[in-house]
């Protein structure tokens, strides 16, 4: 076990390095970099700047139009583009080893500070979605497997498949129109994580206000996720129910609940529980651009989108580095869950 964990940890190093190298190289060739973005902003805000350029598209590709060479060099030095690319990459990776993710070009804050500031929204959306999906879909999947082919199974399948077919952002807009003071009922707030007077409320009032703001966006996030987890649970249980050891247990006279929860449950839950660590870690860093935009929530999804548009490379690369590491760790934890759930799996045999 220890040798396997050490091997996986060592393999993370070239994986992360490769991901960051490819992304860094791509950013060097993307037109409209941060220097061009700033030039465009200066010319747009300057006297007659909007008319001086031949449109945004031309400015992004020619960049230096209308600026002297000294000013252009100052801008390049401001963002560190006056040095060779390989030197900047090496320096960036050295900083990342200490989790110094750099500073945003345009927001004048450290990348880690920006991520932390957006986490309340992302954690709220991700964690609530995670627990609601798991706590709803697993019991429903078990019930569907036990009642396979029954009217209950057919009816619930139709409902969850309809929910799966509706995009989350479409459902979010519909919920706002219906319950957010649109054309029908004004029951839920339209924007934000909390109300403007949140600080003035009591502790119970703050909790209630926060939960009230979360109702619509969480519904929009979760409905589309029900189908996959429910059907995965159902199919996993159906596969186990049809195996020989279940028939043997029933032949011994064991009760149906004993067979289901003592014999079937552990084996059927293997494909579900092994994905639990990755899903749980991912829940803290969930970002949904469309849901955040519809409900005016400033989370990681909106941060990532804006940083790509503005070519804010420290934010793009810093968040990619952090999320890549978290993803690899989550995959390792998922593999270790196999051993905890099914002792028959032995990692020592891998690679022999």
């Amino acid at each position: 076990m220890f040798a396997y964990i050490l091997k996986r940890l060592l393999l993370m190093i070239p994986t992360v390095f490769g991901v960051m190298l490819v992304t860094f190289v791509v950013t060097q060739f993307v037109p409209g970099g941060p220097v061009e973005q700033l030039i465009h902003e200066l010319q747009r805000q300057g006297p007659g700047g909007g008319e001086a350029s031949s449109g945004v598209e031309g400015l992004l590709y020619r960049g230096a139009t209308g600026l002297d060479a000294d000013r252009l060099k100052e801008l390049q030095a401001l963002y560190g583009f006056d040095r060779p690319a390989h030197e900047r990459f090496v320096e960036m990776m050295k900083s990342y080893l200490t989790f110094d993710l750099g500073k945003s070009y345009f927001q004048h804050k450290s990348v880690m500070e920006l991520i932390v500031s957006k986490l309340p929204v992302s954690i709220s959306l991700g964690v609530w979605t995670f627990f609601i999906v798991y706590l709803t879909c697993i019991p429903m999947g078990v019930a569907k497997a036990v009642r396979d082919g029954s009217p209950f199974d057919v009816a619930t399948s139709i409902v969850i498949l309809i929910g799966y077919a509706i995009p989350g952002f479409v459902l979010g807009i519909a919920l706002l129109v219906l319950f957010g003071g649109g054309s029908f009922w004004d029951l839920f707030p339209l924007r934000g994580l909390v109300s403007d007077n949140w600080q003035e409320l009591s502790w119970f009032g703050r909790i209630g206000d926060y939960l009230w703001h979360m109702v619509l966006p969480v519904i929009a996030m979760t409905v589309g996720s029900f189908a996959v987890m429910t059907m995965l649970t159902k199919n996993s249980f159906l596969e186990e129910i049809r195996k020989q050891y279940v028939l043997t247990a029933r032949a011994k006279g064991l009760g149906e609940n004993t067979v289901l929860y003592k014999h079937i449950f552990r084996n059927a839950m293997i494909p579900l529980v092994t994905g639990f660590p990755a899903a749980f870690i991912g829940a803290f860093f969930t970002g949904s651009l469309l849901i955040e935009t519809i409900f005016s929530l400033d989370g990681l999804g909106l941060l990532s989108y804006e940083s790509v548009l503005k070519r804010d490379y420290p934010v793009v690369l810093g968040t990619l580095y952090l999320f890549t590491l978290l993803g690899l760790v989550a995959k390792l934890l998922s593999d270790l869950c196999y051993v905890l759930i099914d002792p028959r799996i032995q990692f020592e045999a891998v690679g022999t």
Side-chain angles (χ1 to χ4, degrees):
M1 173 74 73
F2 177 78
Y4 175 79
I5 295 175
L6 180 61
K7 180 181 177 181
R8 287 290 298 271
L9 291 175
L10 292 176
L11 285 174
M12 289 182 186
I13 298 175
T15 303
V16 174
F17 182 85
V19 170
M20 298 309 301
L21 178 61
V22 171
T23 308
F24 182 84
V25 170
V26 170
T27 59
Q28 306 308 302
F29 296 97
V30 175
V35 174
E36 288 81 358
Q37 293 277 345
L38 183 57
I39 290 174
H40 170 61
E41 193 68 22
L42 292 173
Q43 292 191 353
R44 186 177 64 85
Q45 296 177 0
E51 291 78 9
S53 66
S54 58
V56 175
E57 184 177 353
L59 180 60
L60 291 178
Y61 283 89
R62 295 203 303 272
T65 303
L67 292 181
D68 57 72
D70 293 336
R71 179 58 173 162
L72 181 59
K73 289 181 179 179
E74 290 179 6
L75 292 178
Q76 290 176 339
L78 177 65
Y79 296 120
F81 292 119
D82 56 332
R83 294 176 298 158
H86 67 277
E87 291 183 6
R88 289 186 280 118
F89 177 75
V90 171
E91 181 179 346
M92 180 188 74
M93 294 306 297
K94 287 181 179 179
S95 300
Y96 284 179
L97 291 176
T98 59
F99 289 94
D100 178 9
L101 303 182
K103 189 175 181 179
S104 170
Y105 288 153
F106 302 102
Q107 302 194 45
H108 309 294
K109 295 180 180 179
S110 69
V111 175
M112 189 63 75
E113 183 180 352
L114 285 173
I115 293 175
V116 172
S117 67
K118 310 298 182 183
L119 278 181
V121 169
S122 299
I123 290 176
S124 296
L125 291 175
V127 171
W128 284 115
T129 300
F130 171 82
F131 282 111
I132 290 174
V133 169
Y134 265 81
L135 294 178
T136 302
C137 294
I138 291 179
M140 184 182 296
V142 175
K144 286 172 65 63
V146 174
R147 300 171 178 84
D148 183 38
S150 67
F152 169 81
D153 181 36
V154 175
T156 53
S157 296
I158 293 174
V159 172
I160 62 175
L161 289 176
I162 291 175
Y164 181 73
I166 301 175
F169 70 92
V170 174
L171 179 60
I173 294 173
L175 291 173
L176 282 180
V177 173
L178 289 173
F179 305 109
S183 304
F184 297 91
W185 302 281
D186 187 7
L187 300 178
F188 296 97
L190 291 173
R191 61 187 304 275
L193 196 62
V194 293
S195 300
D196 294 335
N197 64 336
W198 188 76
Q199 294 290 346
E200 303 172 4
L201 301 175
S202 63
W203 280 105
F204 289 106
R206 292 180 181 182
I207 295 173
D209 181 75
Y210 163 76
L211 293 176
W212 207 239
H213 278 76
M214 281 289 99
V215 172
L216 296 186
V218 168
I219 290 176
M221 289 277 290
T222 55
V223 169
S225 304
F226 284 152
V228 175
M229 183 60 66
T230 301
M231 299 310 294
L232 178 62
T233 303
K234 175 189 173 182
N235 293 334
S236 180
F237 271 80
L238 280 178
E239 182 180 354
E240 293 298 324
I241 288 174
R242 295 164 181 166
K243 289 185 176 180
Q244 185 65 41
Y245 74 89
V246 177
L247 298 176
T248 303
R250 287 172 175 168
K252 290 181 179 179
L254 297 178
E256 193 64 29
N257 287 335
T258 302
V259 174
L260 179 63
Y261 293 106
K262 185 176 181 180
H263 295 274
I264 298 175
F265 192 81
R266 180 173 182 176
N267 294 327
M269 290 298 292
I270 290 177
L272 301 175
V273 176
T274 50
F276 186 91
F280 184 73
I281 293 176
F284 288 89
F285 300 94
T286 295
S288 177
L289 170 64
L290 295 175
I291 298 298
E292 291 175 13
T293 302
I294 291 171
F295 294 98
S296 300
L297 300 170
D298 190 10
L300 289 175
L302 195 59
L303 173 66
S304 301
Y305 177 71
E306 291 179 346
S307 62
V308 170
L309 285 184
K310 294 180 178 179
R311 307 296 193 268
D312 199 347
Y313 294 149
V315 178
V316 174
L317 295 170
T319 53
L320 177 65
Y321 173 78
L322 182 61
F323 296 157
T324 301
L325 278 180
L326 290 173
L328 292 173
V329 172
K331 290 293 185 182
L332 175 59
L333 293 177
S334 297
D335 288 345
L336 296 180
C337 284
Y338 275 106
V339 178
L340 297 177
I341 298 173
D342 191 350
R344 295 172 299 176
I345 298 177
Q346 298 295 327
F347 286 132
E348 284 77 6
V350 176
T352 59

